[in-house]
RNA sequence: GGCGCCAUACCCAAGUGGUCAAGGGAGAGGUUUGCAAAACCUCCAUUCCCCGGUUCGAAUCCGGGUGGCGCCUCCA
């Protein structure tokens, strides 16, 4: 890589040059879902960010082993399953299937490995055994606790001081308030496994240490996840792994910001098909999106109405570490921006043609040169942004500059026929955007069809009805019956269907 | 009570020591059009929450204040 790749490291609170342990190869472990319910758009923000991150690293010739786990046995799953009167493991299985369905729908690549807690029990027990052996854990009444005071470094990642914590959970047999469970003694009705300490199940944090260890070894290059996991989850992982192995657990910590619901705004709205009136929602609704706050919007619901790439653009249009506010305008805005990119690419394609004669080239002059300049500079501009702590929002800014330059050139009548020399570099730039950020991966036609399929049902029309009306309107226009033509157009416009009269006929779009 | 992050125009959002403060949306005017829509052009922050300080020079660094958010309980 020509320029260093720079990444913010939560552990040091600074942006650092990224150097993997083994040159050219990156081991990445990302905390995935606890599968007790459907994936909401806060979860999928993390999924999209890391998917895109891996895509980019690979594009830049790093070899990446991407591991994203499933926590398929835990308190919450057991609790929810009990409420629903079902088997916890069956519930987890169902939500894993749903998650896979949602990620596929979102257009994400599968991670290289997706370990599950229930398939990592031997490794978890081995790790716990090691910790007891080394004096960092103790068994008490069928459970095993991590001995926090035995690890002086505890708190380094999150900046917490053990004696300042508001510890609540008393726990049976715990020696220190900050100690946390590695192994939980079996309770009736809960899934359990045999162990040297009696039947039970893993605690919350040990699983990730074990899964990272079994898939990537004692030291991983980058550990990712939501910023809300820093404490206690990641802090505890560090202690478990470093006390067991005596090696640095993760060299870089990469945390994404939360999806938030701003104060006094409507959540979802047209996005969810929920037509509750706007206005102030209960205080509990604002802040971080989460199931327990009752403000979660499930990803599958949104994907029924918006193309996956609109979600992707929504996520990538803000730096991954910033909080991302979600409201009713968010997706329409992102979809509009995405459509702008597609339309610019279409305009570039339409300019294909012969090498222009000199007089035409001269008349295209400055505008054509501008496109050429931006298109050729695009790769280095994109790399500069993404190499700088994965600044996807900055990278997108460059794409929009190019889009405007293309549209400007294509407005030029002569360019419409003869944009020749600028087309290839412009299309190459958009192709690079597809490869790295996963946007504009469809043909323009596919994209328009997807929009129509997802948006039209809410507008009270079928494609056939719209086409029928447009035929009537074409007839009226041919007869210069402008009032009839305008009446049809107004009727469609009322239902958010925009009609555009082109030289070769009328097109229509769903207004975003 | 403890730890940490953030504060850029009407809205969203890049930029984090040095030419004019990206980009998108909204708004105003114009080109185009049968009229529109879309697209394009022009305008839209002499200024980056406030107050001090460092510097030849700060939105960018330091100190204080105010406001918002995350974590300390399950959390992407």
């Amino acid at each position: 890589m020509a320029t260093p790749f720079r990444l913010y490291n939560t552990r040091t609170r600074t942006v650092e040059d990224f150097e993997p342990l083994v040159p050219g190869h990156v081991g990445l472990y990302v905390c995935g879902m606890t599968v007790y319910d459907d994936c909401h758009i806060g979860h999928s923000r993390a999924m999209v960010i890391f998917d895109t991150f891996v895509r980019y690293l690979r594009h830049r010739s790093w070899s990446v082993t991407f591991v994203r786990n499933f926590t398929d046995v835990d308190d919450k799953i057991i609790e929810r399953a009990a409420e629903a009167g079902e088997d916890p493991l069956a519930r987890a299985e169902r939500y894993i299937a749903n998650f896979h369905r949602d990620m596929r729908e979102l257009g994400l690549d599968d991670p290289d490995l997706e370990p599950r807690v229930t398939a990592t029990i031997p490794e978890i027990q081995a790790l716990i055994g090691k910790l007891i052996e080394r004096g960092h854990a103790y068994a008490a009444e069928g459970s095993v606790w991590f001995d926090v005071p035995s690890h002086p470094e505890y708190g380094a990642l999150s900046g917490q001081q053990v004696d300042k914590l508001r510890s609540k959970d008393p726990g049976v047999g715990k020696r220190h308030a900050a100690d946390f469970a590695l192994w939980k003694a079996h309770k009736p009705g809960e899934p359990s496994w045999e162990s040297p300490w009696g039947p039970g199940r893993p605690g919350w944090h040990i699983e990730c240490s074990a899964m990272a260890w079994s898939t990537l070894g004692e030291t991983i290059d980058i550990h990712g996840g939501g910023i809300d996991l820093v404490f206690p989850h990641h802090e505890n992982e560090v202690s478990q792994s470093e006390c067991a192995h005596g090696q640095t657990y993760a060299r870089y910590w990469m945390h994404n910001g939360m999806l938030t619901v701003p104060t006094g705004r409507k959540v979802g709205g047209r996005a969810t098909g929920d037509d509750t009136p706007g206005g102030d929602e209960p205080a509990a609704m604002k802040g971080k999106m989460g199931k327990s706050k009752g403000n979660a919007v499930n990803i599958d619901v949104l994907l029924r109405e918006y193309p996956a790439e609109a979600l992707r653009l929504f996520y990538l249009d803000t730096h991954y570490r910033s909080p991302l506010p979600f409201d009713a305008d968010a997706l329409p805005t992102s979809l509009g921006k995405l459509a702008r990119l597609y339309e610019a690419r279409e305009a570039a394609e339409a300019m294909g043609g012969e090498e222009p004669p000199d007089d035409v080239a001269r008349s295209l002059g400055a505008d054509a040169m501008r496109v050429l300049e931006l298109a050729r500079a695009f790769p280095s501009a994109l790399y500069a942004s993404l190499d700088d702590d994965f600044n996807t929002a900055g990278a997108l800014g460059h794409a929009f500059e190019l889009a405007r330059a293309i549209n400007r050139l294509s407005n030029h009548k002569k360019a419409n026929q003869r944009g020749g020399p600028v087309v290839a570099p412009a299309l190459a730039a958009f192709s690079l955007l597809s490869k790295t950020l996963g946007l504009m991966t469809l043909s323009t036609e596919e994209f328009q069809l997807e929009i129509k399929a997802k948006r039209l049902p809410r507008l009270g029309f079928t494609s056939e009805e719209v086409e029928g009306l447009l035929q009537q309107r074409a007839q009226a226009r041919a007869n210069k019956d402008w009032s009839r033509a305008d009446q049809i157009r107004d009727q469609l416009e009322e239902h958010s269907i925009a009609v555009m009269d082109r030289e070769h006929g009328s097109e229509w779009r769903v207004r975003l």
Side-chain angles (χ1 to χ4, degrees):
Chain A
M1 314 225 344
T3 53
F5 184 83
R6 293 172 61 75
L7 198 57
Y8 181 87
N9 186 349
T10 306
R11 191 172 57 79
T12 58
R13 318 253 174 219
T14 55
V15 177
E16 302 174 355
D17 285 0
F18 173 70
E19 295 288 348
L21 204 55
V22 178
H25 183 271
V26 181
L28 170 67
Y29 183 93
V30 174
C31 283
M33 291 277 292
T34 298
V35 280
Y36 66 90
D37 206 335
D38 275 316
C39 179
H40 65 62
I41 60 174
H43 298 125
S44 58
R45 178 185 191 194
M47 304 311 156
V48 168
I49 284 168
F50 287 105
D51 173 78
T52 312
F53 182 62
V54 169
R55 235 178 244 249
Y56 180 63
L57 291 180
R58 287 181 175 149
H59 175 79
R60 297 288 265 159
S61 303
W62 301 85
S63 136
V64 181
T65 303
F66 175 26
V67 180
R68 186 181 62 206
N69 75 288
F70 283 113
T71 297
D72 60 351
V73 57
D74 105 317
D75 295 351
K76 201 94 162 196
I77 298 171
I78 292 167
E79 185 185 305
R80 292 296 186 88
E83 285 167 14
E86 64 183 327
D87 175 60
L89 299 183
R91 183 181 180 91
E93 203 63 45
R94 188 170 77 245
Y95 283 110
I96 286 175
N98 285 4
F99 178 81
H100 278 138
R101 175 202 65 201
D102 291 343
M103 293 306 106
R104 239 191 330 275
E105 192 69 25
L106 255 181
L108 302 201
D109 295 331
D110 287 333
D112 298 295
L113 294 161
E114 293 187 290
R116 303 179 187 193
V117 179
T118 54
T120 317
I121 302 293
E123 290 87 346
I124 289 171
Q125 294 189 354
L127 206 53
I128 295 173
K130 246 181 148 176
L131 287 168
I132 292 175
E133 214 174 277
R134 292 186 166 218
H136 291 292
Y138 55 91
E141 311 194 30
S143 292
V144 180
W145 300 93
F146 184 86
D147 183 4
V148 170
S150 78
H151 186 224
E153 308 291 309
Y154 188 85
L157 173 67
S158 60
Q160 298 294 327
Q161 292 162 264
V162 174
D163 53 348
K164 297 274 174 60
L165 296 173
R166 287 178 172 176
S167 294
K168 286 175 183 166
D169 173 23
V172 182
K174 263 170 83 163
R175 291 180 193 160
H176 185 102
D179 291 355
F180 53 92
L182 299 174
W183 190 259
K184 295 187 169 188
H186 174 255
K187 289 184 205 157
E190 293 187 357
S192 76
W193 289 263
E194 286 306 322
S195 84
W197 319 285
R201 60 185 172 93
W204 176 33
H205 316 290
I206 192 68
E207 27 138 341
C208 278
S209 285
M211 288 185 275
W213 174 43
S214 67
T215 55
L216 295 168
E218 296 181 354
T219 298
I220 59 188
D221 288 304
I222 304 174
H223 190 128
I227 189 79
D228 55 344
L229 295 177
V230 173
F231 192 90
H233 186 54
H234 289 163
E235 191 69 60
N236 292 356
E237 279 184 61
V238 172
S239 286
Q240 292 162 344
S241 294
E242 298 194 352
C243 287
H245 305 129
Q247 299 291 328
T248 299
Y249 176 49
R251 305 175 62 243
Y252 301 85
W253 287 89
M254 183 174 173
H255 290 105
N256 63 276
M258 296 291 100
L259 191 82
T260 61
V261 178
T263 313
R265 303 223 185 146
K266 193 176 159 189
V267 188
R270 52 195 276 201
T272 56
D274 166 16
D275 285 329
T276 50
D280 294 342
E281 63 275 358
M285 294 289 281
K286 69 173 180 157
K288 187 177 85 171
M289 177 170 289
K291 296 286 177 201
S292 54
K293 299 200 99 176
N295 62 2
V297 177
N298 288 163
I299 187 68
D300 61 327
V301 172
L302 222 47
L303 283 171
R304 267 179 239 139
E305 284 193 57
Y306 290 94
E309 287 189 1
L311 267 290
R312 196 166 188 113
L313 178 60
F314 168 61
Y315 292 133
L316 300 179
D317 209 15
T318 296
H319 188 95
Y320 74 89
R321 285 193 282 118
S322 299
L324 175 58
F326 175 79
D327 61 35
D329 293 332
L331 270 300
T333 299
S334 295
L335 182 52
K337 293 182 83 159
L338 182 62
R340 184 171 166 79
L341 291 176
Y342 269 101
E343 282 163 23
R345 189 180 69 185
E346 194 179 24
E349 284 163 349
M351 284 190 288
E354 306 301 311
E355 226 18 55
D358 283 356
D359 58 324
V360 177
R362 253 198 306 282
S363 69
L364 296 180
D367 291 347
M369 287 310 294
R370 174 78 174 148
V371 172
L372 218 48
E373 198 178 292
L374 288 173
R376 285 182 179 153
F378 186 73
S380 54
L382 179 115
Y383 295 155
S385 291
L386 297 182
D387 286 350
D388 180 15
D389 195 24
F390 201 48
N391 185 354
T392 53
L396 281 167
H398 297 298
F400 283 104
E401 282 184 287
L402 175 63
R404 188 175 60 211
I406 289 169
N407 285 333
R408 179 191 172 106
L409 176 61
S410 95
N411 255 20
H412 215 275
K413 283 208 167 110
K414 290 172 186 167
N416 260 321
Q417 303 301 318
R418 304 173 178 184
V422 305
V423 175
L427 294 182
F430 287 132
S431 162
L432 179 61
L433 192 70
S434 299
K435 283 187 203 125
T436 53
L437 298 188
L439 298 169
M440 302 175 78
T441 61
L442 305 174
S443 71
T444 307
E445 261 180 32
E446 288 169 328
F447 176 64
Q448 287 302 333
L449 281 175
E450 191 181 2
I451 290 182
K452 285 170 183 173
K454 289 185 171 173
R455 306 297 302 156
L456 214 49
R458 293 178 54 74
L459 303 178
F461 277 101
T462 63
S463 278
E464 291 70 29
E465 286 168 341
V466 176
E467 303 287 353
L469 284 167
L470 284 183
Q471 270 179 23
Q472 292 178 35
R473 181 165 174 273
Q475 191 54 247
R477 292 184 77 220
N479 298 335
K480 298 209 189 302
D481 180 358
W482 305 125
S483 68
R484 171 64 182 151
D486 291 352
Q487 182 250 318
I488 291 170
R489 187 174 62 199
D490 291 347
Q491 183 191 349
L492 289 167
E493 188 65 48
E494 265 176 49
H495 294 269
S496 290
I497 292 164
V499 176
M500 291 102 107
D501 296 331
R502 309 280 194 201
E503 288 171 26
H504 44 275
S506 300
E507 293 174 21
W508 63 281
R509 297 277 160 84
V510 174
R511 197 168 288 292
L512 307 172

